[in-house]
Amino acid sequence: MNHRDQLVAACDHQLRAGQFKDYTINGLQVEGREEVRRVMTGVTACQALLDEAVAWQADMVLVHHGYFWKNEPVAITGMKQKRIKTLMAHDMSLLAYHLPLDAHAELGNNAELARRLGWKVEGCLDGELGEGLLWSGRLVTPQPLAALAEQLSQTLQRQALVVEAPLAGPVERIAWCTGGAQDMITAAHEAGAQVFVSGEISERTTHLARELGIHYIAAGHHATERYGVQALGDWLASQFDVEHRFVDIDNPA
């Protein structure tokens, strides 16, 4: 039997979850049945994903964005009550990993984004590779900014938003951090990157990019963070006798 706690312990160990100071609980957030045969993964534990899990008769839901975020209301009411009630009514566990899944050197969101785009990883600018969140590297072949943005748009199936800086010539040196990491643009510039890729953009990001002299590409928070949880789910299925299914709930953000 695949025991719930065995799967949780394996994920905790693989992602070194206890080493991260995060904004939420990493690991088991809602406890379901002990035996696990089916694991459904998704980016966010929204109601639509939970409904898919119920229909598929999943035993565990594994996500990047779970519940219990710092500074959110503690009371389990309204939308939160409905989500947690769905999990408990069907005896499904919820397992969530935030920063540990961004950072992991092989299964993480940053690693998977680089792999799918063919970027050469050279290191991490805010810690050891596998522990830090701001990654750096090079394109295999220097290319115009527009070509890089088009590659991102095609690969991620989401139109990238580009802020072009007064920087001539093709780009080669790149830095990236998936999700809502737009404010890392200054650190990326200081490290010598010609372009910084993340998920979201703020009003201030445009001015920072133009005045610092570094191109910025906002490729989508959801779009850049689809792949780590899929890789983790596949890894879990390779270690245990469980069936894994990823469901992509559409999100244009």
Side-chain angles (χ1 to χ4, degrees):
M1 183 180 82
N2 300 302
H3 196 285
R4 174 199 64 233
D5 295 345
Q6 290 179 304
L7 273 66
V8 172
C11 288
D12 285 351
H13 178 74
Q14 176 70 8
L15 298 181
R16 296 184 288 179
Q19 296 184 22
F20 288 81
K21 185 179 180 181
D22 212 335
Y23 319 104
T24 184
I25 301 167
N26 287 301
L28 186 63
Q29 292 192 342
V30 178
E31 185 177 277
R33 66 179 65 92
E34 291 186 354
E35 184 174 5
V36 178
R37 295 180 179 179
R38 287 184 167 183
V39 178
M40 178 169 285
T41 59
V43 177
T44 299
C46 61
Q47 188 63 47
L49 181 67
L50 300 183
D51 292 343
E52 290 280 353
V54 170
W56 190 52
Q57 296 183 325
D59 304 297
M60 176 178 285
V61 179
L62 171 60
V63 297
H64 180 46
H65 300 137
Y67 307 149
F68 312 113
W69 297 92
K70 183 179 179 181
N71 297 326
E72 76 171 15
V74 175
I76 300 176
T77 59
M79 180 181 72
K80 183 189 290 187
Q81 186 269 356
K82 183 180 178 182
R83 290 175 172 183
I84 293 176
K85 183 177 180 180
T86 300
L87 287 162
M88 298 189 73
H90 296 277
D91 209 12
M92 295 188 299
S93 295
L94 176 65
L95 191 56
Y97 295 96
H98 185 230
L99 296 184
L101 191 55
D102 288 320
H104 195 273
E106 297 175 0
L107 305 176
N109 287 318
N110 283 323
E112 280 293 303
L113 186 66
R115 185 180 68 81
R116 289 169 185 269
L117 273 298
W119 300 340
K120 181 182 178 182
V121 177
E122 294 186 333
C124 193
L125 300 176
D126 61 342
E128 295 295 323
L129 194 65
E131 298 177 6
L133 302 174
L134 180 58
W135 287 35
S136 66
R138 293 178 182 270
L139 305 182
V140 175
T141 303
Q143 58 183 300
L145 178 65
L148 174 60
E150 180 60 24
Q151 183 192 16
L152 275 159
S153 298
Q154 291 292 328
T155 301
L156 303 185
Q157 300 178 337
R158 190 263 192 194
Q159 187 64 41
L161 189 156
V162 180
V163 178
E164 187 170 359
L167 187 66
V171 295
E172 178 183 10
R173 300 186 307 277
I174 185 170
W176 65 97
C177 181
T178 63
Q182 58 268 49
D183 288 337
M184 288 185 172
I185 189 171
T186 300
H189 165 70
E190 291 173 350
Q194 295 167 287
V195 57
F196 178 48
V197 177
S198 189
E200 297 185 12
I201 187 168
S202 298
E203 190 273 344
R204 60 186 173 275
T205 316
T206 297
H207 304 295
L208 285 168
R210 290 171 178 169
E211 294 176 38
L212 289 172
I214 178 172
H215 305 304
Y216 182 67
I217 302 178
H221 192 138
H222 176 87
T224 57
E225 295 193 330
R226 283 195 195 104
Y227 306 111
V229 74
Q230 292 184 57
L232 181 59
D234 288 341
W235 175 83
L236 202 58
S238 75
Q239 302 298 306
F240 297 89
D241 183 24
V242 296
E243 186 176 356
H244 167 228
R245 178 187 172 198
F246 171 76
V247 174
D248 188 20
I249 304 300
D250 180 63
N251 188 335

